[in-house]
């Protein structure tokens, strides 16, 4: 209990410190934020919110495919509510989103927590691969401004270092291959003889659920559509302001990448880190630092308001949803 309290206090202090630093470094005042909210084109903001909700729905559809491969069919309403509750929880307690969404499905759809959590791990791995791809595209499209701003003195690593890392990786893979039978035997004993082993076994069942996805092409389509929706959300918010409406698609891509990194920090909803990273990115496109920080605050505030509203509604809804016994082939 004390450890959880200390972690929460740390994340809160970190968020407050990063936010204060972002505001102080840009000399941003509340009047600047208020003026930014008045200047926004709320038609584009409304479109951005709709796109954001669409991305959450697409994520729920993709998650359903993983759950279905384990013979569970919670239904779109329960799955979407769980996704929104997860995002809602992240704005309250960092890293609680995954736990909350799995707990929600355990309550409303009778899906074992450890198995749904395993599918969430799979989702995170897929998302990480998608982010790596988006970062690669962004660096190719916008390498010069990014390199000048973030890595002004970067040099290509020596070939000896690259070769050494490749050799180490190969040795590790070869070692795993020759010891796989021993590892599997030990794992079988552990998974049957201890509670921890059973929990880990459930996680692994969830993680490898991707092997049983019935329509892998549709799964990949959902994944691409999720990232496209994230990009369109970022780009549409740029269209909501006169100073950023002409920055172009590449700027939207840069905002998406840096905003994603900001949201991944161990603070409530990426507070502070998102503001700093997105503001710094806007500076690359000749936006004054004060205005850039105000815009980043608006972008983050829009996302936060959307999640808190619809996540809160979803939480209330789950209180009244009857538990669905949904195992298919049971």
């Amino acid at each position: 209990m004390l450890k959880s309290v200390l972690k929460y206090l740390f994340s809160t202090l970190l968020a407050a410190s990063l936010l204060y630093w972002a505001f102080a470094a840009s000399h941003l005042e509340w009047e600047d934020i208020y003026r930014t909210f008045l200047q926004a084109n709320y038609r584009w903001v409304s479109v951005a919110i709709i796109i954001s909700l669409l991305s959450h729905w697409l994520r729920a559809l993709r998650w359903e495919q993983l759950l279905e491969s384990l013979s569970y069919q919670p239904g779109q309403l329960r799955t979407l509510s769980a996704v929104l509750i997860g995002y809602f929880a992240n704005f309250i307690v960092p890293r609680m989103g995954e736990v909350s969404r799995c707990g929600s499905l355990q309550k409303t759809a009778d899906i074992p927590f450890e198995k749904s959590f395993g599918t969430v791990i799979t989702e995170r791995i897929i998302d990480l691969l998608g982010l790596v791809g988006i970062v690669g595209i962004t660096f190719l499209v916008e390498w010069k401004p990014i390199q000048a701003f973030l890595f002004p003195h970067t040099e290509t690593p020596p070939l000896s270092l690259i070769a050494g890392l490749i050799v180490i990786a190969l040795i590790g893979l070869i070692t795993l291959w020759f010891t796989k039978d021993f590892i599997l035997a030990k794992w079988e004993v552990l998974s049957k003889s201890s509670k921890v082993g059973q929990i880990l076994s459930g996680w692994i069942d969830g993680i490898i659920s991707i092997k049983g996805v019935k329509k892998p092409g549709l799964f990949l389509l959902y994944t691409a559509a999720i990232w496209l929706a994230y990009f369109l959300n970022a780009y549409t918010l740029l269209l909501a302001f006169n100073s950023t409406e002409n920055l172009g698609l590449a700027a939207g891509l840069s905002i998406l990448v840096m905003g994603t990194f900001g949201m991944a920090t161990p603070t409530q909803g990426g507070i502070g880190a998102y503001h700093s990273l997105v503001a710094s990115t806007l500076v690359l496109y000749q936006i004054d630092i004060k205005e850039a920080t105000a815009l980043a605050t608006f972008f983050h505030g829009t996302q936060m308001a959307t999640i808190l509203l619809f996540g809160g509604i979803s939480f209330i809804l789950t209180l009244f949803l009857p538990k669905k016994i949904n195992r298919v082939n049971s």
Side-chain angles (χ1 to χ4, degrees), residues 302-316:
T302 301
Q303 296 179 49
M304 183 171 68
T306 302
I307 288 301
L308 292 180
L309 174 61
F310 289 96
I313 291 173
S314 297
F315 178 77
I316 294 172

Side-chain angles (χ1 to χ4, degrees), residues 274-291:
Y274 178 96
H275 297 72
S276 298
L277 290 174
V278 171
S280 298
T281 304
L282 288 169
V283 170
L284 290 175
Y285 298 94
Q286 310 305 312
I287 303 296
D288 177 74
I289 182 62
K290 178 184 287 189
E291 182 180 5

Side-chain angles (χ1 to χ4, degrees), residues 17-48:
S17 300
L18 289 173
L19 191 62
Y20 174 80
W21 180 81
F23 282 16
S26 62
H27 304 289
L28 186 69
E29 298 179 357
W30 291 111
E31 290 79 4
D32 301 309
I33 299 175
Y34 176 70
R35 193 180 306 112
T36 300
F37 274 75
L38 290 179
Q39 293 172 349
N41 183 333
Y42 282 93
R43 290 182 180 178
W44 283 118
V45 174
S46 299
V47 173

Side-chain angles (χ1 to χ4, degrees), residues 106-329:
Q106 186 176 36
K107 176 183 181 297
T108 63
D110 197 32
I111 298 178
F113 179 91
E114 61 273 11
K115 293 199 174 185
S116 62
F117 191 78
T119 63
V120 171
I121 294 175
T122 299
E123 272 204 305
R124 288 293 172 258
I125 294 171
I126 298 297
D127 289 340
L128 179 59
L129 294 174
L131 178 59
V132 169
I134 295 295
V135 169
I137 294 172
T138 305
F139 271 53
L140 286 174
V141 174
E142 294 288 87
W143 169 248
K144 287 186 177 180
I146 292 175
Q147 190 269 342
F149 184 77
L150 295 179
F151 315 109
H153 306 296
T154 297
E155 297 180 0
T156 304
L159 290 177
S160 58
L161 175 61
I162 297 175
L165 292 174
I166 293 175
V167 169
I168 292 172
L170 288 174
I171 291 174
L173 290 174
I174 292 171
T175 302
L176 284 175
W177 174 259
F178 282 106
T179 59
K180 67 180 188 303
D181 293 336
F182 173 78
I183 294 173
L184 289 174
K186 289 294 184 182
W187 167 249
E188 187 175 355
V189 173
L190 177 65
S191 62
K192 294 179 179 179
S193 61
S194 72
K195 181 64 176 177
V196 173
Q198 293 171 10
I199 293 174
L200 291 175
S201 180
W203 287 9
I204 291 174
D205 286 343
I207 292 171
I208 64 176
S209 61
I210 193 169
K211 294 172 59 178
V213 169
K214 294 180 180 179
K215 298 178 180 179
L218 185 60
F219 185 89
L220 292 175
L221 180 62
Y222 283 148
T223 300
I226 289 168
W227 281 106
L228 177 61
Y230 287 166
F231 164 70
L232 291 176
N233 173 264
Y235 179 65
T236 304
L237 286 173
L238 292 178
L239 296 178
F241 295 91
N242 293 332
S243 59
T244 57
E245 63 180 350
N246 296 317
L247 292 184
L249 297 174
L253 204 57
S254 299
I255 295 296
L256 167 62
V257 169
M258 301 310 290
T260 301
F261 284 133
M263 297 295 280
T265 56
T267 63
Q268 290 86 338
I271 292 175
Y274 178 96
H275 297 72
S276 298
L277 290 174
V278 171
S280 298
T281 304
L282 288 169
V283 170
L284 290 175
Y285 298 94
Q286 310 305 312
I287 303 296
D288 177 74
I289 182 62
K290 178 184 287 189
E291 182 180 5
T293 306
L295 289 170
T297 303
F298 182 88
F299 297 165
H300 187 271
T302 301
Q303 296 179 49
M304 183 171 68
T306 302
I307 288 301
L308 292 180
L309 174 61
F310 289 96
I313 291 173
S314 297
F315 178 77
I316 294 172
L317 179 63
T318 58
L319 297 178
F320 300 95
L321 279 175
K323 179 177 286 190
K324 180 180 180 181
I325 307 301
N326 61 76
R327 179 171 275 282
V328 179
N329 303 326

Side-chain angles (χ1 to χ4, degrees), residues 83-95:
V83 168
L84 290 170
I85 287 171
Y87 283 116
F88 179 89
N90 274 336
F91 272 100
I92 307 301
V93 181
R95 300 292 176 267

